[in-house]
Short mmCIF file of all heavy atoms in Angstrom, two decimals:
data_model
loop_
_atom_site.label_atom_id
_atom_site.label_comp_id
_atom_site.label_asym_id
_atom_site.label_seq_id
_atom_site.Cartn_x
_atom_site.Cartn_y
_atom_site.Cartn_z
N MET A 1 -1.00 -16.34 -11.07
CA MET A 1 0.30 -15.78 -11.23
C MET A 1 0.54 -14.94 -10.04
O MET A 1 -0.38 -14.13 -9.61
CB MET A 1 0.37 -14.97 -12.45
CG MET A 1 1.71 -14.19 -12.58
SD MET A 1 1.73 -13.17 -14.12
CE MET A 1 2.10 -14.44 -15.33
N ILE A 2 1.63 -14.99 -9.49
CA ILE A 2 2.07 -14.15 -8.30
C ILE A 2 2.56 -12.78 -8.78
O ILE A 2 3.32 -12.74 -9.67
CB ILE A 2 3.17 -14.85 -7.36
CG1 ILE A 2 2.44 -16.05 -6.81
CG2 ILE A 2 3.61 -13.90 -6.29
CD1 ILE A 2 3.42 -16.90 -5.97
N LYS A 3 2.01 -11.72 -8.27
CA LYS A 3 2.42 -10.40 -8.55
C LYS A 3 2.55 -9.53 -7.39
O LYS A 3 2.26 -9.91 -6.25
CB LYS A 3 1.27 -9.65 -9.44
CG LYS A 3 0.97 -10.40 -10.74
CD LYS A 3 -0.10 -9.76 -11.57
CE LYS A 3 -0.41 -10.44 -12.74
NZ LYS A 3 -1.57 -9.68 -13.49
N THR A 4 3.16 -8.29 -7.59
CA THR A 4 3.36 -7.35 -6.55
C THR A 4 2.80 -6.03 -6.98
O THR A 4 2.73 -5.72 -8.14
CB THR A 4 4.87 -7.30 -6.15
OG1 THR A 4 5.61 -6.80 -7.26
CG2 THR A 4 5.34 -8.56 -5.59
N LYS A 5 2.46 -5.16 -5.95
CA LYS A 5 2.08 -3.82 -6.23
C LYS A 5 2.45 -2.95 -4.96
O LYS A 5 2.30 -3.40 -3.87
CB LYS A 5 0.52 -3.67 -6.49
CG LYS A 5 0.05 -2.29 -6.66
CD LYS A 5 -1.35 -2.32 -7.28
CE LYS A 5 -1.75 -0.87 -7.47
NZ LYS A 5 -1.24 -0.11 -8.62
N GLU A 6 2.97 -1.87 -5.24
CA GLU A 6 3.51 -0.96 -4.26
C GLU A 6 2.47 0.18 -3.94
O GLU A 6 1.92 0.76 -4.90
CB GLU A 6 4.85 -0.35 -4.49
CG GLU A 6 5.45 0.48 -3.55
CD GLU A 6 6.85 0.97 -3.87
OE1 GLU A 6 7.52 0.31 -4.51
OE2 GLU A 6 7.07 2.16 -3.47
N PHE A 7 2.32 0.53 -2.67
CA PHE A 7 1.36 1.49 -2.27
C PHE A 7 2.17 2.48 -1.32
O PHE A 7 2.91 2.06 -0.59
CB PHE A 7 0.18 1.01 -1.47
CG PHE A 7 -0.83 0.09 -2.32
CD1 PHE A 7 -0.56 -1.21 -2.42
CD2 PHE A 7 -1.78 0.69 -3.03
CE1 PHE A 7 -1.41 -2.00 -3.22
CE2 PHE A 7 -2.65 -0.10 -3.84
CZ PHE A 7 -2.45 -1.41 -3.90
N VAL A 8 1.86 3.73 -1.45
CA VAL A 8 2.52 4.77 -0.71
C VAL A 8 1.52 5.82 -0.12
O VAL A 8 0.59 6.18 -0.77
CB VAL A 8 3.53 5.51 -1.55
CG1 VAL A 8 4.25 6.59 -0.84
CG2 VAL A 8 4.53 4.61 -2.16
N HIS A 9 1.79 6.20 1.11
CA HIS A 9 0.98 7.19 1.69
C HIS A 9 1.97 8.05 2.64
O HIS A 9 2.75 7.54 3.37
CB HIS A 9 -0.04 6.69 2.65
CG HIS A 9 -0.87 7.75 3.30
ND1 HIS A 9 -1.84 8.43 2.71
CD2 HIS A 9 -0.83 8.09 4.72
CE1 HIS A 9 -2.33 9.27 3.61
NE2 HIS A 9 -1.82 9.10 4.77
N TYR A 10 1.93 9.39 2.41
CA TYR A 10 2.76 10.31 3.19
C TYR A 10 1.82 11.05 4.25
O TYR A 10 0.76 11.50 3.88
CB TYR A 10 3.43 11.32 2.26
CG TYR A 10 4.39 10.83 1.25
CD1 TYR A 10 4.05 10.49 -0.03
CD2 TYR A 10 5.66 10.41 1.79
CE1 TYR A 10 5.02 9.96 -0.85
CE2 TYR A 10 6.57 9.81 0.88
CZ TYR A 10 6.24 9.62 -0.40
OH TYR A 10 7.16 9.07 -1.31
N THR A 11 2.42 11.04 5.41
CA THR A 11 1.70 11.83 6.47
C THR A 11 2.48 13.11 6.56
O THR A 11 3.63 13.26 6.42
CB THR A 11 1.77 11.07 7.84
OG1 THR A 11 2.98 10.94 8.15
CG2 THR A 11 1.01 9.81 7.73
N GLY A 12 1.70 14.19 6.84
CA GLY A 12 2.23 15.54 6.87
C GLY A 12 1.24 16.52 6.51
O GLY A 12 0.16 16.55 6.96
N PHE A 13 1.64 17.38 5.63
CA PHE A 13 0.88 18.70 5.25
C PHE A 13 -0.54 18.40 4.86
O PHE A 13 -1.51 18.89 5.40
CB PHE A 13 1.60 19.36 4.13
CG PHE A 13 2.95 19.73 4.54
CD1 PHE A 13 4.07 19.27 3.87
CD2 PHE A 13 3.16 20.60 5.68
CE1 PHE A 13 5.33 19.62 4.24
CE2 PHE A 13 4.52 20.88 5.93
CZ PHE A 13 5.59 20.42 5.30
N ASP A 14 -0.76 17.49 3.80
CA ASP A 14 -2.05 17.34 3.33
C ASP A 14 -2.56 15.83 3.35
O ASP A 14 -3.40 15.37 2.59
CB ASP A 14 -2.17 17.77 1.83
CG ASP A 14 -1.26 17.00 0.96
OD1 ASP A 14 -0.38 16.23 1.43
OD2 ASP A 14 -1.38 17.11 -0.32
N SER A 15 -2.06 15.06 4.31
CA SER A 15 -2.31 13.70 4.33
C SER A 15 -3.78 13.29 4.70
O SER A 15 -4.32 12.33 4.31
CB SER A 15 -1.48 12.94 5.36
OG SER A 15 -1.70 13.50 6.72
N LYS A 16 -4.48 14.31 5.38
CA LYS A 16 -5.88 13.94 5.69
C LYS A 16 -6.82 14.07 4.44
O LYS A 16 -7.79 13.40 4.50
CB LYS A 16 -6.43 14.95 6.66
CG LYS A 16 -5.81 14.85 8.04
CD LYS A 16 -6.28 15.87 9.01
CE LYS A 16 -6.01 15.69 10.39
NZ LYS A 16 -4.90 15.54 10.95
N GLU A 17 -6.35 14.56 3.38
CA GLU A 17 -7.01 14.57 2.10
C GLU A 17 -6.81 13.37 1.27
O GLU A 17 -7.64 13.20 0.32
CB GLU A 17 -6.72 15.84 1.25
CG GLU A 17 -6.94 17.20 2.06
CD GLU A 17 -6.42 18.37 1.33
OE1 GLU A 17 -5.98 18.25 0.11
OE2 GLU A 17 -6.29 19.44 1.96
N LYS A 18 -5.87 12.54 1.57
CA LYS A 18 -5.67 11.39 0.77
C LYS A 18 -6.06 10.08 1.56
O LYS A 18 -6.21 10.05 2.78
CB LYS A 18 -4.16 11.31 0.50
CG LYS A 18 -3.77 12.49 -0.35
CD LYS A 18 -2.30 12.37 -0.70
CE LYS A 18 -1.79 13.54 -1.35
NZ LYS A 18 -1.37 14.14 -2.17
N ARG A 19 -6.25 9.08 0.76
CA ARG A 19 -6.70 7.70 1.38
C ARG A 19 -5.56 7.14 2.13
O ARG A 19 -4.43 7.30 1.61
CB ARG A 19 -7.25 6.84 0.31
CG ARG A 19 -8.43 7.18 -0.43
CD ARG A 19 -9.03 6.22 -1.33
NE ARG A 19 -7.90 5.92 -2.33
CZ ARG A 19 -7.94 4.80 -2.99
NH1 ARG A 19 -8.86 3.85 -2.87
NH2 ARG A 19 -6.89 4.37 -3.83
N THR A 20 -5.81 6.56 3.25
CA THR A 20 -4.79 5.95 4.01
C THR A 20 -4.19 4.66 3.27
O THR A 20 -4.79 4.18 2.25
CB THR A 20 -5.38 5.33 5.43
OG1 THR A 20 -6.19 4.36 5.15
CG2 THR A 20 -5.94 6.55 6.20
N LEU A 21 -3.05 4.13 3.70
CA LEU A 21 -2.45 2.99 3.11
C LEU A 21 -3.36 1.81 3.22
O LEU A 21 -3.59 1.08 2.25
CB LEU A 21 -1.14 2.67 3.87
CG LEU A 21 -0.12 1.85 3.21
CD1 LEU A 21 0.30 2.46 1.79
CD2 LEU A 21 1.05 1.59 4.06
N GLU A 22 -4.02 1.66 4.39
CA GLU A 22 -4.94 0.59 4.57
C GLU A 22 -6.14 0.58 3.68
O GLU A 22 -6.58 -0.44 3.10
CB GLU A 22 -5.48 0.53 6.03
CG GLU A 22 -4.34 0.11 7.04
CD GLU A 22 -3.38 1.29 7.36
OE1 GLU A 22 -3.77 2.44 7.02
OE2 GLU A 22 -2.36 1.08 7.93
N GLU A 23 -6.68 1.77 3.40
CA GLU A 23 -7.84 1.92 2.52
C GLU A 23 -7.42 1.58 1.15
O GLU A 23 -8.18 0.84 0.41
CB GLU A 23 -8.35 3.43 2.49
CG GLU A 23 -9.01 3.76 3.79
CD GLU A 23 -9.39 5.20 4.01
OE1 GLU A 23 -8.74 6.03 3.36
OE2 GLU A 23 -10.27 5.51 4.65
N GLN A 24 -6.35 2.02 0.59
CA GLN A 24 -5.79 1.72 -0.73
C GLN A 24 -5.64 0.21 -0.90
O GLN A 24 -6.10 -0.40 -1.90
CB GLN A 24 -4.48 2.36 -0.95
CG GLN A 24 -4.50 3.97 -1.02
CD GLN A 24 -3.12 4.45 -1.17
OE1 GLN A 24 -2.34 4.10 -2.13
NE2 GLN A 24 -2.75 5.35 -0.23
N ILE A 25 -4.98 -0.52 0.17
CA ILE A 25 -4.74 -1.88 0.01
C ILE A 25 -5.99 -2.71 0.09
O ILE A 25 -6.23 -3.54 -0.69
CB ILE A 25 -3.77 -2.36 1.04
CG1 ILE A 25 -2.41 -1.76 0.90
CG2 ILE A 25 -3.65 -3.92 1.17
CD1 ILE A 25 -1.44 -1.94 2.09
N ASN A 26 -6.93 -2.33 1.00
CA ASN A 26 -8.24 -3.04 1.15
C ASN A 26 -9.03 -2.99 -0.13
O ASN A 26 -9.61 -3.95 -0.54
CB ASN A 26 -9.05 -2.55 2.33
CG ASN A 26 -8.53 -2.99 3.62
OD1 ASN A 26 -7.72 -4.05 3.65
ND2 ASN A 26 -8.72 -2.31 4.73
N GLU A 27 -9.06 -1.80 -0.80
CA GLU A 27 -9.85 -1.73 -2.07
C GLU A 27 -9.16 -2.50 -3.19
O GLU A 27 -9.84 -3.10 -4.02
CB GLU A 27 -9.83 -0.24 -2.43
CG GLU A 27 -10.75 0.03 -3.65
CD GLU A 27 -10.71 1.52 -4.02
OE1 GLU A 27 -10.89 2.27 -3.10
OE2 GLU A 27 -10.59 1.85 -5.26
N PHE A 28 -7.86 -2.56 -3.16
CA PHE A 28 -7.12 -3.23 -4.29
C PHE A 28 -7.38 -4.80 -4.19
O PHE A 28 -7.44 -5.43 -5.15
CB PHE A 28 -5.62 -2.93 -4.20
CG PHE A 28 -4.90 -3.64 -5.22
CD1 PHE A 28 -4.81 -3.35 -6.56
CD2 PHE A 28 -3.97 -4.67 -4.85
CE1 PHE A 28 -4.08 -4.06 -7.45
CE2 PHE A 28 -3.23 -5.33 -5.73
CZ PHE A 28 -3.29 -5.03 -7.09
N ILE A 29 -7.19 -5.33 -2.96
CA ILE A 29 -7.20 -6.77 -2.89
C ILE A 29 -8.54 -7.39 -2.69
O ILE A 29 -8.62 -8.70 -2.44
CB ILE A 29 -6.38 -7.22 -1.64
CG1 ILE A 29 -6.83 -6.69 -0.30
CG2 ILE A 29 -4.88 -6.86 -1.82
CD1 ILE A 29 -6.13 -7.30 0.97
N LYS A 30 -9.63 -6.67 -2.94
CA LYS A 30 -10.97 -7.32 -2.84
C LYS A 30 -11.16 -8.62 -3.56
O LYS A 30 -11.71 -9.58 -3.04
CB LYS A 30 -12.04 -6.32 -3.34
CG LYS A 30 -12.34 -5.17 -2.40
CD LYS A 30 -13.44 -4.45 -2.89
CE LYS A 30 -13.34 -3.00 -2.65
NZ LYS A 30 -14.35 -2.11 -3.32
N ASP A 31 -10.67 -8.60 -4.73
CA ASP A 31 -10.86 -9.77 -5.66
C ASP A 31 -9.57 -10.55 -5.89
O ASP A 31 -9.56 -11.37 -6.85
CB ASP A 31 -11.50 -9.41 -6.95
CG ASP A 31 -10.69 -8.29 -7.71
OD1 ASP A 31 -9.81 -7.87 -7.08
OD2 ASP A 31 -10.97 -8.20 -8.90
N LYS A 32 -8.61 -10.38 -5.06
CA LYS A 32 -7.28 -11.12 -5.17
C LYS A 32 -7.09 -11.96 -4.01
O LYS A 32 -7.48 -11.64 -2.95
CB LYS A 32 -6.27 -10.10 -5.50
CG LYS A 32 -6.42 -9.30 -6.75
CD LYS A 32 -5.56 -8.08 -6.82
CE LYS A 32 -5.77 -7.34 -8.20
NZ LYS A 32 -7.13 -6.65 -8.17
N GLU A 33 -6.13 -12.97 -4.09
CA GLU A 33 -5.70 -13.72 -3.09
C GLU A 33 -4.48 -13.13 -2.48
O GLU A 33 -3.44 -13.18 -3.09
CB GLU A 33 -5.46 -15.16 -3.52
CG GLU A 33 -5.08 -16.14 -2.45
CD GLU A 33 -4.78 -17.45 -2.96
OE1 GLU A 33 -5.23 -17.90 -4.01
OE2 GLU A 33 -4.01 -18.21 -2.21
N LEU A 34 -4.55 -12.58 -1.23
CA LEU A 34 -3.39 -11.96 -0.58
C LEU A 34 -2.42 -12.99 -0.03
O LEU A 34 -2.77 -14.01 0.53
CB LEU A 34 -3.93 -11.19 0.65
CG LEU A 34 -2.81 -10.50 1.39
CD1 LEU A 34 -2.07 -9.35 0.60
CD2 LEU A 34 -3.46 -9.80 2.65
N ILE A 35 -1.13 -12.84 -0.37
CA ILE A 35 -0.13 -13.68 0.01
C ILE A 35 0.65 -13.03 1.26
O ILE A 35 0.89 -13.65 2.29
CB ILE A 35 0.93 -14.01 -1.01
CG1 ILE A 35 0.18 -14.89 -2.21
CG2 ILE A 35 2.11 -14.84 -0.49
CD1 ILE A 35 0.95 -15.16 -3.41
N ASP A 36 1.12 -11.87 1.07
CA ASP A 36 1.80 -11.14 2.11
C ASP A 36 1.85 -9.67 1.88
O ASP A 36 1.62 -9.17 0.80
CB ASP A 36 3.25 -11.66 2.17
CG ASP A 36 4.03 -11.42 3.51
OD1 ASP A 36 3.37 -10.85 4.44
OD2 ASP A 36 5.17 -11.73 3.55
N ILE A 37 2.13 -8.95 2.94
CA ILE A 37 2.43 -7.49 2.83
C ILE A 37 3.66 -7.14 3.56
O ILE A 37 3.80 -7.54 4.81
CB ILE A 37 1.20 -6.64 3.47
CG1 ILE A 37 -0.07 -6.96 2.72
CG2 ILE A 37 1.41 -5.13 3.32
CD1 ILE A 37 -1.44 -6.28 3.36
N LYS A 38 4.53 -6.39 3.02
CA LYS A 38 5.73 -5.92 3.59
C LYS A 38 5.66 -4.40 3.74
O LYS A 38 5.36 -3.70 2.78
CB LYS A 38 7.01 -6.25 2.73
CG LYS A 38 7.20 -7.74 2.31
CD LYS A 38 7.55 -8.48 3.50
CE LYS A 38 7.72 -9.94 3.11
NZ LYS A 38 7.92 -10.77 4.28
N TYR A 39 5.85 -3.82 4.93
CA TYR A 39 5.82 -2.46 5.23
C TYR A 39 7.15 -1.82 5.51
O TYR A 39 8.04 -2.42 6.03
CB TYR A 39 5.00 -2.28 6.54
CG TYR A 39 3.48 -2.54 6.45
CD1 TYR A 39 2.93 -3.67 6.89
CD2 TYR A 39 2.68 -1.60 5.83
CE1 TYR A 39 1.62 -3.89 6.75
CE2 TYR A 39 1.32 -1.81 5.73
CZ TYR A 39 0.77 -2.99 6.19
OH TYR A 39 -0.52 -3.36 6.04
N GLN A 40 7.20 -0.53 5.11
CA GLN A 40 8.44 0.23 5.42
C GLN A 40 7.96 1.68 5.69
O GLN A 40 7.16 2.23 5.12
CB GLN A 40 9.39 0.16 4.22
CG GLN A 40 10.67 1.09 4.29
CD GLN A 40 11.51 1.01 3.17
OE1 GLN A 40 11.41 0.22 2.27
NE2 GLN A 40 12.34 1.92 3.14
N ILE A 41 8.64 2.25 6.65
CA ILE A 41 8.42 3.67 6.96
C ILE A 41 9.69 4.37 7.01
O ILE A 41 10.69 4.01 7.58
CB ILE A 41 7.82 3.69 8.47
CG1 ILE A 41 6.46 2.88 8.62
CG2 ILE A 41 7.57 5.19 8.94
CD1 ILE A 41 5.91 2.85 10.02
N THR A 42 9.55 5.56 6.34
CA THR A 42 10.71 6.48 6.30
C THR A 42 10.23 7.80 6.95
O THR A 42 9.11 8.23 6.68
CB THR A 42 11.23 6.83 4.87
OG1 THR A 42 10.17 7.18 4.03
CG2 THR A 42 11.75 5.45 4.21
N GLU A 43 11.00 8.44 7.70
CA GLU A 43 10.65 9.59 8.42
C GLU A 43 11.75 10.68 8.23
O GLU A 43 12.90 10.47 8.11
CB GLU A 43 10.51 9.44 9.84
CG GLU A 43 9.39 8.46 10.18
CD GLU A 43 9.36 8.25 11.67
OE1 GLU A 43 8.74 9.05 12.29
OE2 GLU A 43 9.82 7.30 12.12
N ASP A 44 11.27 12.06 8.17
CA ASP A 44 12.15 13.17 8.41
C ASP A 44 11.42 14.17 9.10
O ASP A 44 10.29 13.87 9.73
CB ASP A 44 12.67 13.65 7.03
CG ASP A 44 11.69 14.48 6.27
OD1 ASP A 44 10.59 14.84 6.80
OD2 ASP A 44 11.89 14.87 5.14
N GLU A 45 11.84 15.37 9.37
CA GLU A 45 11.30 16.30 10.19
C GLU A 45 9.89 16.89 9.87
O GLU A 45 9.05 17.29 10.51
CB GLU A 45 12.17 17.55 10.55
CG GLU A 45 12.51 18.27 9.23
CD GLU A 45 13.70 19.23 9.33
OE1 GLU A 45 14.63 18.76 10.06
OE2 GLU A 45 13.55 20.36 8.89
N ASN A 46 9.51 16.69 8.45
CA ASN A 46 8.28 17.17 7.98
C ASN A 46 7.28 16.24 7.73
O ASN A 46 6.08 16.49 7.67
CB ASN A 46 8.52 18.08 6.65
CG ASN A 46 9.36 19.30 6.97
OD1 ASN A 46 9.24 19.86 7.95
ND2 ASN A 46 10.31 19.61 6.11
N PHE A 47 7.60 15.02 7.48
CA PHE A 47 6.61 13.90 7.09
C PHE A 47 7.14 12.59 7.29
O PHE A 47 8.30 12.38 7.63
CB PHE A 47 6.23 14.06 5.59
CG PHE A 47 7.33 13.73 4.61
CD1 PHE A 47 7.43 12.44 4.20
CD2 PHE A 47 8.27 14.60 4.22
CE1 PHE A 47 8.43 11.94 3.25
CE2 PHE A 47 9.23 14.19 3.28
CZ PHE A 47 9.26 12.96 2.90
N ALA A 48 6.27 11.61 7.23
CA ALA A 48 6.58 10.23 7.25
C ALA A 48 5.95 9.56 6.09
O ALA A 48 4.89 9.74 5.65
CB ALA A 48 6.10 9.61 8.56
N GLY A 49 6.84 8.72 5.47
CA GLY A 49 6.36 7.96 4.30
C GLY A 49 6.06 6.55 4.61
O GLY A 49 7.05 5.84 5.24
N HIS A 50 4.85 6.03 4.36
CA HIS A 50 4.49 4.77 4.62
C HIS A 50 4.38 3.98 3.32
O HIS A 50 3.56 4.38 2.51
CB HIS A 50 3.13 4.67 5.37
CG HIS A 50 3.20 5.37 6.71
ND1 HIS A 50 3.26 4.72 7.93
CD2 HIS A 50 3.14 6.68 6.92
CE1 HIS A 50 3.36 5.58 8.86
NE2 HIS A 50 3.20 6.80 8.36
N CYS A 51 5.13 2.91 3.13
CA CYS A 51 5.13 2.15 1.95
C CYS A 51 4.70 0.77 2.25
O CYS A 51 5.15 0.16 3.32
CB CYS A 51 6.41 2.22 1.28
SG CYS A 51 7.10 3.83 0.95
N ALA A 52 4.04 0.12 1.33
CA ALA A 52 3.63 -1.25 1.48
C ALA A 52 3.83 -1.97 0.15
O ALA A 52 3.35 -1.42 -0.88
CB ALA A 52 2.19 -1.34 1.96
N LEU A 53 4.41 -3.11 0.12
CA LEU A 53 4.55 -3.96 -1.04
C LEU A 53 3.54 -5.16 -0.78
O LEU A 53 3.63 -5.90 0.15
CB LEU A 53 5.92 -4.50 -1.18
CG LEU A 53 6.14 -5.35 -2.40
CD1 LEU A 53 5.98 -4.61 -3.70
CD2 LEU A 53 7.55 -6.01 -2.39
N VAL A 54 2.61 -5.14 -1.66
CA VAL A 54 1.53 -6.19 -1.50
C VAL A 54 1.88 -7.34 -2.40
O VAL A 54 2.08 -7.00 -3.71
CB VAL A 54 0.23 -5.68 -1.89
CG1 VAL A 54 -0.87 -6.77 -1.85
CG2 VAL A 54 -0.22 -4.58 -0.91
N ILE A 55 2.02 -8.49 -1.88
CA ILE A 55 2.20 -9.74 -2.76
C ILE A 55 0.90 -10.51 -2.82
O ILE A 55 0.29 -10.89 -1.79
CB ILE A 55 3.37 -10.62 -2.23
CG1 ILE A 55 4.60 -9.70 -1.92
CG2 ILE A 55 3.61 -11.78 -2.98
CD1 ILE A 55 5.59 -10.39 -1.03
N TYR A 56 0.46 -10.74 -4.08
CA TYR A 56 -0.77 -11.43 -4.19
C TYR A 56 -0.84 -12.37 -5.32
O TYR A 56 0.02 -12.21 -6.22
CB TYR A 56 -1.97 -10.32 -4.37
CG TYR A 56 -1.81 -9.47 -5.64
CD1 TYR A 56 -2.50 -9.72 -6.80
CD2 TYR A 56 -0.90 -8.42 -5.74
CE1 TYR A 56 -2.23 -9.05 -8.01
CE2 TYR A 56 -0.73 -7.70 -6.81
CZ TYR A 56 -1.36 -8.06 -7.93
OH TYR A 56 -1.31 -7.31 -9.17
N LYS A 57 -1.83 -13.21 -5.35
CA LYS A 57 -2.10 -14.13 -6.36
C LYS A 57 -3.23 -13.67 -7.28
O LYS A 57 -4.31 -13.31 -6.69
CB LYS A 57 -2.40 -15.51 -5.97
CG LYS A 57 -2.31 -16.62 -7.01
CD LYS A 57 -2.48 -17.97 -6.31
CE LYS A 57 -2.36 -18.92 -7.27
NZ LYS A 57 -2.41 -20.40 -6.64
N ASP A 58 -3.03 -13.50 -8.61
CA ASP A 58 -4.17 -13.05 -9.42
C ASP A 58 -4.33 -14.03 -10.53
O ASP A 58 -3.46 -14.39 -11.32
CB ASP A 58 -3.69 -11.66 -10.05
CG ASP A 58 -4.76 -10.92 -10.73
OD1 ASP A 58 -5.97 -11.24 -10.47
OD2 ASP A 58 -4.56 -10.05 -11.48
N GLY A 59 -5.68 -14.51 -10.66
CA GLY A 59 -5.94 -15.52 -11.70
C GLY A 59 -5.66 -16.86 -11.16
O GLY A 59 -5.27 -17.15 -10.04
N ASP A 60 -5.75 -17.84 -12.13
CA ASP A 60 -5.62 -19.22 -11.83
C ASP A 60 -4.22 -19.80 -12.00
O ASP A 60 -3.92 -20.91 -11.64
CB ASP A 60 -6.44 -20.05 -12.66
CG ASP A 60 -7.96 -19.81 -12.38
OD1 ASP A 60 -8.30 -19.40 -11.30
OD2 ASP A 60 -8.76 -19.86 -13.39
N LYS A 61 -3.24 -19.03 -12.49
CA LYS A 61 -1.91 -19.55 -12.81
C LYS A 61 -1.03 -19.55 -11.61
O LYS A 61 -1.07 -18.66 -10.78
CB LYS A 61 -1.27 -18.78 -14.01
CG LYS A 61 -2.09 -18.97 -15.15
CD LYS A 61 -1.48 -18.17 -16.40
CE LYS A 61 -2.26 -18.35 -17.63
NZ LYS A 61 -1.86 -17.54 -18.80
#
C-alpha cells in the first residue's frame, strides 16, 4: 500500500537540540520502500521551516 508521512524541522532558536529532517526520514524509511520525497522550505526573519512529504510503499499491497 502506498502511504505518505510528513516530517518537519525548524531551524532557529533550539534547532540544534532536535533531530534533523534527514535523520528523521532515514530512521523512518529503514524498513520501507521509498518512492519519492517532496521538500518545502518556509522562511521568516526568526526561523526556517523545512518540511518533507515522504511517499513510500509499506507492505505487500
Side-chain angles (χ1 to χ4, degrees):
M1 177 180 286
I2 295 176
K3 297 182 179 180
T4 61
K5 180 161 176 79
E6 185 175 323
F7 294 90
V8 179
H9 178 76
Y10 293 101
T11 59
F13 304 116
D14 63 349
S15 64
K16 291 183 172 49
E17 299 174 13
K18 298 185 185 252
R19 295 184 308 156
T20 67
L21 199 59
E22 291 80 13
E23 289 171 336
Q24 294 176 55
I25 293 169
N26 286 336
E27 183 177 319
F28 177 75
I29 62 170
K30 281 188 219 176
D31 58 345
K32 296 166 182 66
E33 181 182 336
L34 178 64
I35 296 173
D36 198 5
I37 300 175
K38 305 290 185 189
Y39 288 100
Q40 178 179 344
I41 299 173
T42 56
E43 298 179 82
D44 77 10
E45 59 193 43
N46 296 320
F47 70 91
H50 301 257
C51 302
L53 180 65
V54 175
I55 304 166
Y56 64 98
K57 190 173 184 181
D58 192 18
D60 297 331
K61 297 180 181 178

